[in-house]
Amino acid sequence: MIRTMITATNTMNQLQHQFDIIGNNLANSSTHGFKASQASFQELLYEQFTNDKADRAPRQSPVGIRYGTGAKIAQTQMNWKMGSLQSTERQLDFALTTPKQYFNVIMPTEGGEETVYTRQGSFYITPIEGGQLMLVNDDGNPIANAQGMPILFNDDVADYHVQPGGILEVTGNDGTVTRIELGITVIERPNLMEHLSGTYIGLPRNLAELGVTEDDVFTNLQGADRNLIGLQNGVLETSNVHYEKEMTDLINVQRNYQFNARAVTLADQMLGLINGIR
Amino acid sequence: MFRGFYTVASGMLAQQRKTEMLTNNMANVNTPGFKAEQSSIRSFPEMLMSSVQSTHIPSENGFNMKGIATFGPLSTGVYMKETMPLFIQGQLQETELTTDVALVDGFLPVDEETGIQGAVFFTLENDAGGTYYTRNGNFALDANGFLTSSSGYYVLDSEGNRIALQGDDFRVTESGVIMEDDNDVATLGISFAARPDALMKQGDGLFVTETGENLVAVNTIPNATYSIQQGFVERSNVDAGRTMTDLLTAYRAFEANQKVLQAYDRSMEKAVNEVGRV
């Protein structure tokens, strides 16, 4: 049968996935702390045809012909480069100014609590039992301190300040100062992390299978290492989606899709010609 | 009776194969490092046609002698003989990813016998411990920190060893030296093929030698130059406009063959239904 159709359809199917990735990047172009992903293609298998064993004609290439069967997405990679900083002048907006550093968020799951990582630093306070306040993010999940515990302080706050070393200083109305070490993790291998919903990334479920330990992937900054933290408040990190790059890619993928669709049409017409022989 | 009947059928088959190959080129218009295939179509081995005829010998009694005379060669069809990748340089595309490297051809010596320019490749380790060659520099780090191709084969350095890295914060110089914190860790192993036509495509953008022998390292070739660009990939060298034109040409040639087949069929119809009418 006509292989053209299968080759083109294989590829169209994969191009659709690339569309989805570009669409997701574009949709999140104004999500703070979002990291763009990009897909790259690779050739599918080649089939070797030895159609001319008896043929002794001079040739340059090895015997037979090799048929390609289309293209597929080889890998999607996250671009961990920093987005630009946007000033919001809001005290509870934080931006990490060093790449690869992430806030720790405590997320409730079916199997208990789990720590996930994000660079989206728009935080809020929420009252909890006992007249205390808790630092949470947009989704209402608690932010962890350096010990991995939720951050709590008294319901009497005049001001928030960020000090070097990732320390959040909460000044009460009576002048008392509470110093909280925000939990910051350096993820050395961001491409190994699993993309969860939103801007969260988490450890891959098959970490043990991959033959790596948590220590290979990230470091929780403690003690002297905390001086590496670059943290600012009153600003947010915007997404690192390049609008123009995504649009160019989108056009490119669409044209590529059209080319392949055209190949399907041509294959269909060829089948029509075969049927029309008689 | 009708010698050309199967000839046109073979013509249709050859054109169909050509469209299949062109569709694969079109499918890989976005695949990094893809080298477009070209085909050559060849006629079947020729055969000498002869006719049984009588030769008149000028004699008194008008003696005729039966004899066989040849009146020229005839070919009974065509087939697609070769598919050969075209090894010209693809354009570079920026990806911002540190694990992406593009190989740029510099001066490469031309084979004296064939007049074909040599080609340079990244060297990969295959499952059996042999080597694969590729132009696709869309690399990644595996879980253990080894540099791999997008399909997971280890990238080899100039000594033939795998390349182990701490993370993706490395720098690659133009000559292919990988630097981590100002220390040179490894040098990308670049192989040189004096006769790139003799390589076979394996799918996934991989090339192998026909005999399984390894190619030589490029630094053993005097005057051969190349450069490496980090953060870029080499785009596929498929010319979409030309491929579409070729596809349409092949389609029309297929159609023309089909028309001739129909004409043969009508001739046969005459022979069967009209000549034979009693």
Side-chain angles (χ1 to χ4, degrees):
Chain A
M1 255 300 291
I2 294 207
R3 303 155 58 91
T4 308
M5 252 184 194
I6 299 149
T7 302
T9 330
N10 282 344
T11 314
M12 282 163 78
N13 189 9
Q14 294 290 309
L15 284 168
Q16 190 79 55
H17 291 304
Q18 200 184 7
F19 267 131
D20 296 345
I21 290 163
I22 295 171
N24 186 47
N25 285 346
L26 281 174
N28 283 295
S29 61
S30 55
T31 304
H32 292 112
F34 179 81
K35 300 287 167 214
S37 290
Q38 46 185 296
S40 65
F41 274 76
Q42 84 179 27
E43 293 159 57
L44 277 171
L45 292 175
Y46 273 72
E47 282 176 68
Q48 164 104 17
F49 273 64
T50 322
N51 63 348
D52 48 0
K53 270 201 177 111
D55 183 20
R56 297 275 180 271
R59 54 186 287 152
Q60 286 179 339
S61 61
V63 168
I65 47 178
R66 282 149 292 277
Y67 269 135
T69 47
K72 70 164 186 206
I73 289 186
Q75 56 181 352
T76 53
Q77 286 166 295
M78 189 179 91
N79 181 357
W80 50 260
K81 296 269 161 50
M82 273 188 57
S84 48
L85 298 176
Q86 182 186 9
S87 175
T88 59
E89 292 179 15
R90 189 175 159 268
Q91 285 179 329
L92 281 177
D93 281 348
F94 300 91
L96 289 160
T97 53
T98 314
K100 293 189 171 180
Q101 294 185 350
Y102 287 80
F103 295 112
N104 299 354
V105 177
I106 301 166
M107 196 189 266
T109 59
E110 285 156 13
E113 281 171 348
E114 193 185 346
T115 309
V116 296
Y117 307 91
T118 181
R119 280 180 72 90
Q120 189 174 22
S122 49
F123 297 154
Y124 300 89
I125 45 171
T126 184
I128 56 163
E129 284 171 40
Q132 282 195 305
L133 297 177
M134 184 165 71
L135 192 66
V136 295
N137 70 358
D138 291 10
D139 300 338
N141 293 322
I143 309 302
N145 63 13
Q147 283 72 45
M149 304 304 290
I151 296 168
L152 306 172
F153 35 80
N154 287 327
D155 181 11
D156 152 46
V157 180
D159 209 0
Y160 301 93
H161 271 294
V162 160
Q163 296 297 333
I167 291 163
L168 175 66
E169 259 186 17
V170 183
T171 315
N173 285 321
D174 53 357
T176 54
V177 176
T178 320
R179 290 161 62 85
I180 297 156
E181 288 190 324
L182 286 173
I184 308 286
T185 301
V186 179
I187 299 183
E188 278 107 8
R189 309 278 298 279
N191 273 315
L192 209 58
M193 301 293 279
E194 194 172 329
H195 211 118
L196 309 171
S197 64
T199 58
Y200 300 121
I201 56 174
L203 278 174
R205 307 254 177 259
N206 59 346
L207 198 67
E209 270 173 52
L210 292 172
V212 281
T213 58
E214 288 185 11
D215 295 347
D216 297 330
V217 185
F218 60 65
T219 323
N220 278 312
L221 295 176
Q222 306 281 2
D225 283 349
R226 291 190 65 86
N227 293 323
L228 302 170
I229 297 171
L231 187 67
Q232 257 189 302
N233 69 339
V235 285
L236 282 175
E237 182 187 349
T238 58
S239 81
N240 69 351
V241 176
H242 293 302
Y243 212 85
E244 34 324 9
K245 178 190 171 290
E246 300 298 333
M247 285 311 284
T248 325
D249 281 356
L250 189 71
I251 294 168
N252 197 11
V253 176
Q254 200 208 346
R255 287 291 174 226
N256 199 350
Y257 195 87
Q258 283 178 343
F259 276 140
N260 283 288
R262 191 87 176 84
V264 175
T265 315
L266 280 175
D268 178 51
Q269 287 173 2
M270 280 168 79
L271 285 175
L273 284 172
I274 296 170
N275 275 339
I277 288 175
R278 237 194 108 87
Chain B
M1 182 181 65
F2 295 119
R3 285 188 191 275
F5 191 66
Y6 287 104
T7 309
V8 288
S10 77
M12 281 171 80
L13 209 58
Q15 295 304 331
Q16 183 187 319
R17 294 208 157 160
K18 195 169 175 185
T19 62
E20 285 161 2
M21 183 204 73
L22 290 167
T23 306
N24 184 53
N25 283 351
M26 198 61 103
N28 283 293
V29 79
N30 250 342
T31 304
F34 179 77
K35 297 292 167 204
E37 298 269 357
Q38 292 172 306
S39 64
S40 68
I41 287 177
R42 184 176 185 273
S43 68
F44 283 163
E46 287 173 343
M47 58 188 191
L48 270 180
M49 296 287 292
S50 49
S51 65
V52 179
Q53 61 178 19
S54 58
T55 312
H56 178 74
I57 296 172
S59 60
E60 279 182 7
N61 55 3
F63 181 67
N64 278 339
M65 196 176 78
K66 289 266 160 99
I68 291 175
T70 55
F71 61 80
L74 176 86
S75 166
T76 52
V78 293
Y79 67 102
M80 191 154 110
K81 184 181 70 158
E82 283 185 278
T83 57
M84 280 188 295
L86 175 70
F87 283 95
I88 59 165
Q89 172 82 43
Q91 296 166 17
L92 298 193
Q93 182 185 17
E94 187 167 11
T95 61
E96 284 197 338
L97 298 172
T98 53
T99 48
D100 282 346
V101 279
L103 193 50
V104 185
D105 293 345
F107 170 80
L108 297 171
V110 173
D111 189 86
E112 279 176 15
E113 237 176 81
T114 56
I116 289 166
Q117 201 182 31
V120 284
F121 298 91
F122 293 114
T123 316
L124 306 175
E125 180 184 321
N126 76 10
D127 300 328
T131 39
Y132 281 145
Y133 303 98
T134 188
R135 289 288 290 202
N136 182 351
N138 178 235
F139 294 149
L141 286 178
D142 78 350
N144 298 312
F146 287 107
L147 193 66
T148 64
S149 74
S150 55
S151 39
Y153 296 105
Y154 294 107
V155 180
L156 297 180
D157 68 5
S158 51
E159 256 111 67
N161 301 318
R162 299 172 182 179
I163 300 171
L165 297 164
Q166 303 296 323
D168 53 8
D169 282 324
F170 58 87
R171 203 161 57 81
V172 184
T173 66
E174 283 214 346
S175 57
V177 180
I178 302 175
M179 312 279 285
E180 260 184 338
D181 303 328
D182 296 330
N183 304 320
D184 61 342
V185 189
T187 307
L188 283 171
I190 308 296
S191 298
F192 175 80
R195 288 273 317 272
D197 308 2
L199 296 173
M200 295 198 289
K201 272 198 185 183
Q202 283 295 98
D204 290 3
L206 306 169
F207 290 93
V208 290
T209 53
E210 194 183 2
T211 52
E213 273 173 49
N214 289 353
L215 295 179
V216 293
V218 69
N219 46 25
T220 61
I221 307 294
N223 302 331
T225 58
Y226 62 90
S227 66
I228 308 264
Q229 290 283 330
Q230 189 184 15
F232 288 82
V233 288
E234 180 183 351
R235 286 182 60 85
S236 137
N237 69 355
V238 174
D239 179 343
R242 215 191 90 168
T243 309
M244 188 45 89
T245 321
D246 287 353
L247 203 53
L248 289 171
T249 315
Y251 171 77
R252 287 300 174 197
F254 180 88
E255 193 179 21
N257 278 299
Q258 185 252 14
K259 285 276 176 279
V260 178
L261 195 57
Q262 279 181 332
Y264 269 118
D265 183 45
R266 279 197 295 273
S267 306
M268 259 192 280
E269 191 180 13
K270 273 201 178 0
V272 172
N273 294 329
E274 290 172 33
V275 178
R277 188 171 292 153
V278 188

